[in-house]
């Protein structure tokens, strides 16, 4: 069982028990005073009325809440208002009993020669004691429920119109963001733990297993290793790489080198390329 339903059950049970004792003692005091002193003190009648109200209301609230959870009498707000009224009545009873005891028995219960008077003195003290006990118990219970209800309301949980048995006094804030998991650096890859940046040397590729092959001219790819050099396409004459701008001037044409004599080899030490028939010229004598 949760703390608050158990706390409520214990408080109600103790207060009901003390109210039964208070009712019996106050009723006997009224009977004793009328029989021997021909009057009864005012606080004894107040004690009987307060005990009867407490028994009727708290037993009814406890039974109705047991049979039906969302009953009107089980709401936190209704329960707090009524218990506030009860502990005010109990503190009034205790205060009136203490005032009457100090007036009628200023020296305490020292009348051993008069047993009836001594019994009346002790019943004064009993009524006062149980009235103070019920007052303190109900006061503490009321303060605790009010404090936790205010805390729950500040978190966005309205518990004023629910029963103490089902109220979520200690629940987290209703608008609290859900726990966020660390995002992966690369889409599609779940992140199982926080990403820790690491420094790597030039010989280690963090995305390809094994060492990185020597770099080639043309660039390096951090995902798939070295990138081969890309051939540059030759642009046609008159091509303008910048749209809307003037065409750059063309370089003057290069004159062809003069024809080499027969038997000349462009590669030193190599044979001369064969000449086409009729290409040789005989000297004119």
């Amino acid at each position: 069982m949760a703390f608050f339903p158990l706390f409520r059950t214990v408080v109600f049970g103790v207060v009901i028990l003390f109210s039964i004792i208070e009712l019996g003692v106050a009723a006997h005091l009224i009977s004793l005073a009328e029989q021997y002193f021909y009057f009864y003190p005012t606080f004894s009648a107040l004690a009987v009325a307060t005990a009867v109200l407490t028994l009727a209301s708290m037993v009814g609230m406890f039974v109705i809440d047991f049979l039906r959870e969302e009953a009107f009498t089980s709401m936190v707000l209704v329960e707090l208002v009524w218990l506030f009224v009860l502990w005010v009545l109990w503190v009034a009873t205790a205060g009136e009993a203490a005032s009457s005891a100090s007036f009628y028995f200023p020296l305490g219960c020292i009348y051993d020669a008069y047993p009836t008077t001594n019994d009346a003195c002790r019943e004064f003290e009993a009524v006062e004691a149980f009235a103070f006990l019920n007052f303190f118990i109900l006061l503490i219970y009321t303060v605790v429920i009010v404090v936790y209800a205010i805390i729950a309301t500040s978190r966005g949980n309205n518990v004023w119109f629910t029963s103490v048995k089902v109220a979520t006094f200690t629940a987290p804030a209703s608008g609290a963001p859900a726990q966020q998991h660390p995002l992966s650096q690369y889409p599609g890859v779940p992140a199982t733990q926080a990403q820790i940046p690491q420094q790597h040397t030039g010989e280690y590729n963090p995305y390809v297993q094994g060492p990185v092959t020597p770099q080639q001219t043309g660039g390096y790819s951090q995902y798939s290793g070295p990138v081969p050099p890309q051939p540059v396409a030759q642009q046609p004459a008159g091509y303008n790489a910048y749209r809307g701008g003037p065409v750059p001037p063309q370089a003057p044409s290069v004159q062809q080198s003069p024809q080499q004599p027969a038997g000349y080899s462009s590669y030193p030490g190599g044979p001369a390329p064969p000449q086409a028939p009729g290409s040789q010229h005989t000297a004119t004598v």
Side-chain angles (χ1 to χ4, degrees):
M1 181 181 286
F3 170 74
F4 286 100
L6 180 61
F7 180 49
R8 180 176 183 264
T9 303
V10 171
V11 168
F12 276 40
V14 172
V15 171
I16 289 172
L17 176 62
F18 288 171
S19 298
I20 294 174
I21 297 174
E22 182 84 355
L23 177 61
V25 173
H28 182 266
L29 179 60
I30 291 175
S31 175
L32 185 66
E34 285 186 342
Q35 182 179 357
Y36 291 97
F37 304 102
Y38 305 103
F39 78 98
Y40 61 88
T42 306
F43 76 89
S44 59
L46 180 59
V48 170
T50 305
V52 170
L53 281 176
T54 302
L55 289 173
S57 59
M58 296 191 73
V59 171
M61 292 167 63
F62 191 78
V63 172
I64 293 174
D65 187 49
F66 180 77
L67 299 176
R68 183 181 176 184
E69 292 184 354
E70 300 299 330
F72 173 79
T73 56
S74 301
M75 293 182 181
V76 173
L77 182 61
V78 175
E79 186 171 304
L80 289 176
V81 171
W82 180 245
L83 293 183
F84 170 78
V85 173
L86 287 181
W87 69 252
V88 168
L89 291 175
W90 280 116
V91 73
T93 303
E96 186 65 24
S99 176
S100 299
S102 64
F103 177 78
Y104 290 107
F105 308 100
L107 301 179
C109 302
I110 58 173
Y111 306 97
D112 295 334
Y114 304 94
T116 303
T117 305
N118 229 21
D119 291 343
C121 176
R122 292 190 178 95
E123 288 182 358
F124 271 57
E125 294 177 350
V127 171
E128 176 187 352
F130 284 105
F132 271 120
L133 286 175
N134 277 348
F135 158 66
F136 284 122
I137 292 173
L138 291 177
L139 176 63
I140 292 173
Y141 176 79
T142 304
V143 170
V144 169
I145 297 300
V146 167
V147 169
Y148 275 94
I150 293 174
I151 293 175
T153 303
S154 65
R155 294 176 177 176
N157 303 319
N158 189 6
V159 297
W160 296 104
F161 298 99
T162 60
S163 173
V164 176
K165 186 168 62 176
V166 298
T168 55
F169 292 105
T170 57
S174 58
Q179 183 179 4
Q180 297 182 358
H181 299 282
L183 299 178
S184 174
Q185 184 178 359
Y186 307 103
V189 180
T192 57
Q193 59 183 0
Q195 301 292 333
I196 302 176
Q198 298 180 0
Q199 296 181 355
H200 304 285
T201 61
E203 298 298 327
Y204 175 76
N205 187 352
Y207 307 103
V208 180
Q209 298 294 333
V212 180
T213 56
Q215 296 184 358
Q216 306 290 336
T217 57
Y220 172 78
S221 172
Q222 60 176 347
Y223 300 100
S224 59
V227 178
Q230 301 294 331
V232 179
Q234 186 176 3
Q235 303 298 338
Y239 173 76
N240 184 8
Y242 304 94
R243 296 181 179 181
V247 179
Q250 301 294 330
S253 58
V254 181
Q255 297 181 358
Q256 295 181 356
S257 59
Q259 186 175 5
Q260 303 296 334
Y264 174 79
S265 174
S266 61
Y267 300 94
Q275 301 293 328
S279 62
Q280 297 179 357
H281 300 279
T282 55
T284 305
V285 178

